[in-house]
Amino acid sequence: MPAIHLTVDIVVFHMLEDELHVLLVKRGYDPFKNCWALPGGFVEENEALDDAVIRELKEETSVTDVYCEQLYTFGGLGRDPRHRTVTVAYMALMPSDKQPQLEAGTDAADASWFKVKKLPKLAFDHADIVAYGMERLQNKLEWTTAGFKLLPKRFTLTQLQRVYESVLGRELDKRNFRRKVELLDVLDPLEKFDRSGSSRPARLYEFSEKRFEKLKDKGILFPF
Amino acid sequence: MPAIHLTVDIVVFHMLEDELHVLLVKRGYDPFKNCWALPGGFVEENEALDDAVIRELKEETSVTDVYCEQLYTFGGLGRDPRHRTVTVAYMALMPSDKQPQLEAGTDAADASWFKVKKLPKLAFDHADIVAYGMERLQNKLEWTTAGFKLLPKRFTLTQLQRVYESVLGRELDKRNFRRKVELLDVLDPLEKFDRSGSSRPARLYEFSEKRFEKLKDKGILFPF
DNA sequence: ACAAAAGTGTTTTTACTACACCCATGT
DNA sequence: ACATGGGTGTAGTAAAAACACTTTTGT
């Protein structure tokens, strides 16, 4: 059998202060020592790919139960200067109410969040992987309910709009956005309000899985 | 290093008699001896993933220069009863004017085309892979110019419509389809006609890469 | 009272759907 | 002359885009 090393790398997206961020770890060892890179690591022999992702996420953020999705497998020669390494890239959507404890893992000296608009130089071909993840997230946003997976359980419509704006990289019209959301009919309005701002309180909403399922039954798959 | 075997499997799509077909090979060895399976094989240590696909395609069909695209990596446990095997699935679009010579490869006793509507039982999880490929092709058809890659250089509008109908699995309105194609403005009409039928000859067209590039410059990315 | 974000409708434009007949050729 | 697939236009409907003011709270 050819000695091909198999790893997973994860683009973890997270909303901080109305801006989309990505989790990076500072590498403690060569190659690319002290360089920022995506969290990830080797796949074990008796471990499914998806389980490797869950394990790595837990090791580096102590967070479980986040949405994960496979992106693409990068298998060119010369990705890793030392070995032939093929990596299966994933993205994860971490809700903004989860408080990840960024722990220095085995081969990670440090970890922190970076705005997708201002990323440092990355190790390996990880810049390509992040770009691919962004593209996927942008597409998913318009076809699926991925946007809600970046928000806490209760959120305001403006928060939701900020997710869309930050991911798509452009401003959206408030009224058209809200009409579209209302038409979708997957949000439950609450009798609670966000009073954290210094202006008129904003109504809080919850995403309703039940209503979303009804849409699918009607054949209206992803009206977003 | 964990002993994980890495393979590629390819869903080769091809139009035959106005119907979408998939290439399958009959396995000569266990596991799944005499069972139909997707063409594919092990990735070599000094070979990029994409090159492995090209090599396998050439070995089994003697065809080169076809459009290939990575689909998904299947990495669950127990896919292969003997080893831990991770496979990177690809799809290929073979134009209907390429005449593949289906050769009995090293581990393929036989090879032939099957209508996607009437597939036999497949080895491993290859049925899942074909289903995934179909889904991808259907999506690509509406957003990209993938449809043209299944046709010969010169084709009639009806041929093009048959591709769409066969991939999407439903009939389309002739006039609406033709208006949409005209609006796209990526076809060059020729002063040649297809006289193979026993009725009025149909005008032949060529896909124009130049015009397609212009669309992209205008920001109209994929109007299909 | 004022600053700051929340909330709310209408019009215009554009894309999508449905639908029926004549045309050019081979046999 | 006739059978066969090629070729063409219009009207109705639904979705998308552009656009400005009033409301409610905290300070």
Side-chain angles (χ1 to χ4, degrees):
Chain A
M1 255 324 87
I4 298 181
H5 296 229
L6 189 65
T7 60
V8 291
D9 286 308
I10 313 157
V11 186
V12 188
F13 289 112
H14 189 50
M15 289 295 290
L16 286 174
E17 331 244 309
D18 283 348
E19 272 215 66
L20 188 68
H21 286 66
V22 173
L23 179 64
L24 297 177
V25 297
K26 194 172 237 170
R27 290 178 58 83
Y29 301 103
D30 268 322
F32 295 100
K33 187 174 177 177
N34 292 325
C35 197
W36 292 98
L38 292 173
F42 290 103
V43 177
E44 312 204 344
E45 188 172 349
N46 61 344
E47 176 182 58
L49 280 178
D50 294 353
D51 292 331
V53 173
I54 293 169
R55 175 178 55 76
E56 292 286 349
L57 264 182
K58 190 174 174 185
E59 282 176 19
E60 313 221 42
T61 67
S62 72
V63 167
T64 56
D65 291 316
V66 293
Y67 176 80
C68 285
E69 166 176 329
Q70 194 191 107
L71 291 174
Y72 195 82
T73 298
F74 293 79
L77 299 176
R79 294 187 56 252
D80 185 326
R82 295 185 306 182
H83 310 110
R84 172 68 197 285
T85 306
V86 170
T87 197
V88 185
Y90 279 74
M91 76 172 176
L93 304 180
M94 186 168 294
S96 50
D97 56 343
K98 293 234 180 191
Q99 300 287 37
Q101 295 173 354
L102 301 181
E103 291 171 24
T106 50
D107 59 345
D110 196 5
S112 65
W113 296 103
F114 288 80
K115 296 178 184 175
V116 287
K117 294 279 170 203
K118 286 186 175 182
L119 291 181
K121 291 268 175 276
L122 297 185
F124 307 105
D125 51 1
H126 287 189
D128 296 337
I129 298 179
V130 173
Y132 194 95
M134 271 301 289
E135 201 183 316
R136 174 76 63 94
L137 181 57
Q138 287 174 354
N139 290 331
K140 277 261 157 177
L141 213 59
E142 311 202 33
W143 295 97
T144 75
T145 55
F148 302 109
K149 300 199 167 70
L150 285 166
L151 287 172
K153 195 174 157 197
R154 295 170 173 184
F155 51 86
T156 68
L157 293 182
T158 301
Q159 272 181 292
L160 182 62
Q161 187 175 341
R162 293 287 173 270
V163 172
Y164 275 75
E165 290 176 332
S166 186
V167 171
L168 297 177
R170 60 189 156 95
E171 296 198 339
L172 300 175
D173 181 272
K174 200 194 335 184
R175 281 171 290 186
N176 291 340
F177 181 80
R178 287 159 109 99
R179 179 177 32 254
K180 214 165 162 183
V181 171
E182 181 161 27
L183 205 71
L184 238 187
D185 193 37
V186 293
L187 295 190
D188 286 327
L190 304 179
E191 287 308 316
K192 310 227 168 196
F193 295 83
D194 174 9
R195 292 173 177 277
S196 66
S198 71
S199 73
R200 176 171 174 178
R203 183 176 291 275
L204 290 166
Y205 293 81
E206 279 183 5
F207 173 70
S208 164
E209 200 68 48
K210 292 171 203 163
R211 289 168 136 195
F212 178 61
E213 291 302 324
K214 275 188 202 163
L215 280 186
K216 289 203 280 189
D217 295 345
K218 279 193 225 166
I220 307 167
L221 266 182
F222 294 123
F224 241 93
Chain B
M1 255 322 90
I4 299 182
H5 297 229
L6 190 64
T7 60
V8 291
D9 286 308
I10 313 157
V11 186
V12 188
F13 289 112
H14 189 50
M15 290 294 290
L16 286 175
E17 331 243 309
D18 283 348
E19 272 216 65
L20 188 67
H21 285 66
V22 173
L23 179 64
L24 297 177
V25 297
K26 193 172 236 170
R27 289 179 59 83
Y29 300 102
D30 268 321
F32 295 100
K33 187 172 176 178
N34 292 325
C35 197
W36 292 99
L38 292 172
F42 290 103
V43 177
E44 311 203 345
E45 188 170 352
N46 62 344
E47 174 183 59
L49 279 179
D50 294 353
D51 292 332
V53 173
I54 293 168
R55 174 178 55 77
E56 293 284 350
L57 264 182
K58 191 174 173 185
E59 283 176 18
E60 314 221 40
T61 67
S62 72
V63 167
T64 56
D65 291 315
V66 294
Y67 176 79
C68 285
E69 167 177 329
Q70 195 191 106
L71 290 174
Y72 196 82
T73 298
F74 293 79
L77 300 176
R79 293 187 55 253
D80 185 325
R82 296 184 306 180
H83 310 109
R84 172 68 196 285
T85 307
V86 170
T87 196
V88 185
Y90 279 74
M91 76 171 176
L93 304 180
M94 186 168 295
S96 50
D97 56 343
K98 294 235 181 190
Q99 301 286 36
Q101 295 174 353
L102 301 181
E103 291 171 23
T106 51
D107 59 344
D110 197 4
S112 65
W113 296 103
F114 288 80
K115 296 179 184 174
V116 288
K117 294 279 170 201
K118 287 187 175 182
L119 291 181
K121 292 268 175 273
L122 296 185
F124 305 106
D125 51 2
H126 287 189
D128 296 337
I129 299 178
V130 173
Y132 193 94
M134 271 302 288
E135 201 183 317
R136 174 75 63 92
L137 181 57
Q138 286 174 353
N139 289 331
K140 278 261 157 173
L141 212 59
E142 310 202 32
W143 294 99
T144 73
T145 54
F148 303 109
K149 300 198 168 70
L150 284 166
L151 288 172
K153 196 175 158 197
R154 295 170 173 183
F155 51 86
T156 68
L157 293 181
T158 300
Q159 272 181 292
L160 183 62
Q161 186 174 342
R162 293 287 172 269
V163 171
Y164 275 75
E165 290 177 330
S166 185
V167 171
L168 297 178
R170 60 189 155 97
E171 296 198 341
L172 299 175
D173 181 273
K174 199 194 332 186
R175 279 171 292 186
N176 291 340
F177 181 81
R178 288 160 110 99
R179 178 177 34 254
K180 215 166 162 183
V181 171
E182 181 161 27
L183 205 72
L184 237 188
D185 194 35
V186 292
L187 294 190
D188 286 328
L190 304 179
E191 287 308 317
K192 310 226 168 197
F193 296 83
D194 174 7
R195 293 173 177 276
S196 65
S198 71
S199 74
R200 176 173 174 175
R203 183 177 291 274
L204 290 166
Y205 293 82
E206 278 183 6
F207 173 69
S208 164
E209 200 69 48
K210 291 171 201 163
R211 289 167 136 195
F212 179 61
E213 290 303 322
K214 274 188 199 161
L215 279 185
K216 287 201 283 191
D217 294 346
K218 279 194 223 164
I220 307 168
L221 267 185
F222 294 124
F224 244 92

